[in-house]
Amino acid sequence: MRKFHRPADNRRPTAARKSDPRAVALRILTALEKGHRTLDQVADEALARVSFPEKRDRALVTTLVYGVLRWRNTLDYTIVHFSRTPLQRMDPAVLNILRLGLFQLRFLDRIPDFAAINSSVDLSKQAGLGRLSGFVNGLLRSSTRHPGEPDPPDMDKDPVQALCVTKSFPEWMIRRWIARFGIEETVQLCDFLNTVPPITVRVNGLRAAPEQVAASLAQEAAGVTPGRHAPEAVSFSSPKVPVHEMTAFGAGWFQVQDEAAQLIGLLTDPRPGQRVLDACAGLGGKTGHLARLMENQGRIVAADRDTAKLERLAGEMTRLGITNVRPMTLDMLVPEQLKDAGGFDRVLADCPCSGTGVIRRNPDTKWRLSEQDLARLQNDQIAMLTNLADHVRDGGLLVYAVCSMEPEENDAVVQSFLKRRPDFAIDTGVAADVPAVAGFTDDPGFFRTFPWRHGMDGFFGVRLKKNG
C-alpha cells in the first residue's frame, strides 16, 4: 500500500491565449470523439489553455458543448434531412460544425440566425475546410427556411425511434428504459436528463450551518433553496461569479454535491472514531461528507488509483478544514495492493459505473457508453466488492453504490457478491439507523433514487453487513 504525498506546488500554468468560444467548443467536441476521455477531462484541459475577453464567452463554450451533446441525435436527424451526404461520409469536423450551428439556430433564441451561420462558415475555414464552407452555409440556411422540418418519427408506430430523435438518446437506452419503466415514464426520465441541473451543494457542518451558507449564497446567486431530501443540501442557480470564487466556497463552507450523492454518505453512516475506507474516493466529494459525519474524528483512508485526483482531494480536505483523511494510491482491482490495508468499520465502494443516473451532468455518456460496456463494468464492480470484503471488520458495513439505474450494475452485482461471500448479508435496518434514506429504501434493503420521480440524480446503494 503506497502512501500518497502531495507535491509542493501543483498549480496550472497561468499562461493562456485568447480564443473564440465556438472554436474552443469545436475542439472539445472533436477531442471527445477521438479518445476515451470524459467531457470533464477534455473541457478542463481545453479551457485551461485559453482566456476570453468576457466571462460570457466561457459560459457560451459550456452552453454549446453541453447543448450539442444533449441534443446530438436530434441535430443529426435534421442534418440528414437537409443533406445529400450521409453522416458516415462527412468529415468529423464539418459534422460538429454543423451540429454547433444548428444547435444555435434551433435551441438558442439570443443568437441571431446570421451570427450562427456566419460563425459556422468561419469555423470551417479556420479548420482548413474552406472548400466545404459553401456546404455548411447552404445546409444551415436551408434549415432556417424550413424551421418545422423534418417531421419526427411517428410515436404510435415506432416509439423507440420517436424518442431517440425527439429526446436525443441512443436506441439501446430508450429500448431498455421503455421495457422497464414504460413509455410515459421514459419520456419523463429523458426530459429530466436533458435539463440543465441547478447547482446543489452540501453544507460543511464542520464550519457552518445551512442557514449561514444560504445567506451567503443569496448575495452571489439566485434561487437559493434548501434541499428536499438531504438535511445539509442547498441549491441555487445563476451565480454571479464561478462557484470556486464564491465567498462561502473560499471559507470551506460547502462542497458541490447532488442530494442523491449526499444520501449515499448518510447511508454509509460512519461514526466518530471509526476507521473508514472510501475505496473509490475520486475528487473527495463523499470523503468530505464522511469526515463531517465523523466530526473529523477517527481515520478515513481515501483511496483511488488516479494520483492526480488524490492531489486535488488533498487540497479539498485542506479547504474544508478536514484533518482525519489519509489519501492512498490504490487500485481496488489489484488485491495485492490491499494486503496491508487492515480492517475497517465502514467501507464505501462508490464504484466506477455507466453513469446513466447522472447523464444530465455528463451528456457525453449518451454517446460514449455502449450496452456492451455494462457487462465489463459489472465484472469490475463484483471484483472490487470481493477484494474489499476481507477488509471489513466483523459486524462492519460494506456499502456498495453506483450512479447507475441499470439492473446489471444494481441488484445483479449484489446477488453475485452474496453468492461468493455468504458471510455478508443485506442490512435491512437502514430505515431505523438513517431515517433520511428510509423513503428511498425498498423491502430487500436496496436504496434507489430515480431522477424523474425524486428530482435528483439516479443512484443505487446497499449496505452489506459482515456477520460476526
Side-chain angles (χ1 to χ4, degrees):
M1 186 163 68
R2 292 179 289 144
K3 184 175 181 180
F4 164 78
H5 296 281
R6 189 181 182 191
D9 188 353
N10 62 352
R11 293 172 297 175
R12 287 174 174 165
T14 57
R17 57 188 177 84
K18 294 182 180 180
S19 193
D20 169 58
R22 293 175 177 83
V24 176
L26 177 61
R27 287 200 292 273
I28 292 172
L29 292 170
T30 302
L32 277 174
E33 294 184 350
K34 288 183 178 179
H36 300 285
R37 294 185 299 166
T38 65
L39 173 57
D40 285 344
Q41 293 169 334
V42 173
D44 285 350
E45 180 180 300
L47 291 171
R49 295 177 176 177
V50 298
S51 65
F52 297 106
E54 300 183 35
K55 290 184 178 181
R56 64 181 181 180
D57 290 336
R58 189 183 185 92
L60 179 59
V61 173
T62 301
T63 298
L64 292 174
V65 171
Y66 277 75
V68 166
L69 292 171
R70 284 193 180 102
W71 297 105
R72 200 176 88 172
N73 256 14
T74 307
L75 298 171
D76 286 357
Y77 184 78
T78 305
I79 291 170
V80 167
H81 176 75
F82 287 109
S83 173
R84 296 179 181 177
T85 305
L87 292 181
Q88 296 80 0
R89 292 180 56 192
M90 286 188 189
D91 183 286
V94 168
L95 180 55
N96 277 324
I97 290 169
L98 289 171
R99 289 167 174 163
L100 285 165
L102 197 57
F103 173 72
Q104 294 171 77
L105 291 171
R106 300 216 163 176
F107 290 90
L108 298 184
D109 295 336
R110 294 184 178 182
I111 295 181
D113 288 357
F114 76 86
I117 294 171
N118 291 345
S119 63
S120 298
V121 171
D122 290 342
L123 270 183
S124 64
K125 294 177 180 178
Q126 292 171 23
L129 298 166
R131 68 188 186 284
L132 297 173
S133 60
F135 169 67
V136 170
N137 181 63
L139 189 146
L140 295 179
R141 290 190 182 279
S142 293
S143 74
T144 61
R145 289 194 296 269
H146 306 280
E149 296 182 14
D151 292 327
D154 190 292
M155 187 70 174
D156 293 328
K157 294 180 180 179
D158 194 343
V160 172
Q161 284 304 313
L163 293 182
C164 283
V165 170
T166 60
K167 306 302 180 183
S168 188
F169 279 82
E171 180 179 339
W172 70 269
M173 284 188 189
I174 296 294
R175 175 173 38 77
R176 63 169 31 228
W177 289 345
I178 287 178
R180 288 174 59 206
F181 306 125
I183 292 176
E184 183 178 349
E185 288 202 274
T186 297
V187 170
Q188 294 172 13
L189 170 59
C190 292
D191 285 343
F192 185 90
L193 294 179
N194 279 331
T195 60
V196 179
I199 301 171
T200 301
V201 303
R202 178 189 54 76
V203 173
N204 176 19
L206 298 173
R207 287 195 163 176
E211 296 78 14
Q212 287 177 280
V213 176
S216 178
L217 292 174
Q219 303 299 312
E220 299 177 306
V224 179
T225 56
R228 294 170 53 195
H229 308 291
E232 294 184 319
V234 178
S235 293
F236 60 90
S237 60
S238 306
K240 298 176 183 177
V241 296
V243 171
H244 69 273
E245 295 180 10
M246 300 181 90
T247 302
F249 183 90
W253 284 9
F254 69 78
Q255 283 185 290
V256 176
Q257 189 176 50
D258 185 73
E259 283 197 77
Q262 294 181 41
L263 292 176
I264 293 297
L266 296 174
L267 182 72
T268 306
D269 192 27
R271 310 292 174 84
Q274 288 186 333
R275 193 164 190 262
V276 175
L277 172 62
D278 187 356
C280 304
L283 299 177
K286 295 184 183 65
T287 309
H289 194 191
L290 298 178
R292 183 267 179 276
L293 294 171
M294 295 169 66
E295 299 176 9
N296 211 12
Q297 300 173 34
R299 173 63 70 188
I300 299 174
V301 174
D304 202 278
R305 64 183 179 183
D306 188 336
T307 302
K309 287 183 177 180
L310 291 178
E311 292 176 5
R312 296 174 63 182
L313 180 148
E316 182 73 348
M317 296 306 106
T318 299
R319 182 181 71 84
L320 298 169
I322 291 170
T323 58
N324 69 334
V325 172
R326 181 189 183 195
M328 290 280 183
T329 303
L330 295 172
D331 187 341
M332 298 305 147
L333 290 173
V334 183
E336 293 79 11
Q337 293 189 14
L338 296 170
K339 60 183 176 63
D340 298 324
F344 297 89
D345 302 290
R346 300 284 191 272
V347 174
L348 172 58
D350 183 16
C351 296
C353 67
S354 63
T356 57
V358 292
I359 285 177
R360 65 175 178 159
R361 303 181 189 282
N362 305 296
D364 55 315
T365 300
K366 294 183 181 184
W367 321 116
R368 182 169 46 84
L369 185 72
S370 72
E371 194 167 17
Q372 291 70 38
D373 289 329
L374 297 178
R376 173 184 57 80
L377 290 165
Q378 181 193 71
N379 289 336
D380 286 350
Q381 291 152 1
I382 295 169
M384 287 183 182
L385 289 181
T386 303
N387 293 339
L388 289 167
D390 287 334
H391 300 278
V392 181
R393 291 172 174 166
D394 290 348
L397 296 176
L398 172 58
V399 180
Y400 171 63
V402 284
C403 52
S404 166
M405 303 175 291
E406 309 314 309
E408 294 92 333
E409 301 178 279
N410 295 176
D411 312 46
V413 169
V414 178
Q415 292 164 4
S416 179
F417 170 77
L418 292 176
K419 287 180 181 178
R420 300 178 183 209
R421 294 298 301 251
D423 54 333
F424 281 80
I426 296 174
D427 181 10
T428 56
V430 176
D433 289 347
V434 190
V437 305
F440 307 99
T441 307
D442 57 22
D443 290 337
F446 294 139
F447 167 91
R448 306 177 199 270
T449 58
F450 295 102
W452 74 100
R453 295 175 186 169
H454 302 130
M456 54 182 163
D457 292 341
F459 263 81
F460 172 88
V462 63
R463 301 204 317 187
L464 303 165
K465 189 170 185 177
K466 190 171 186 179
N467 300 331

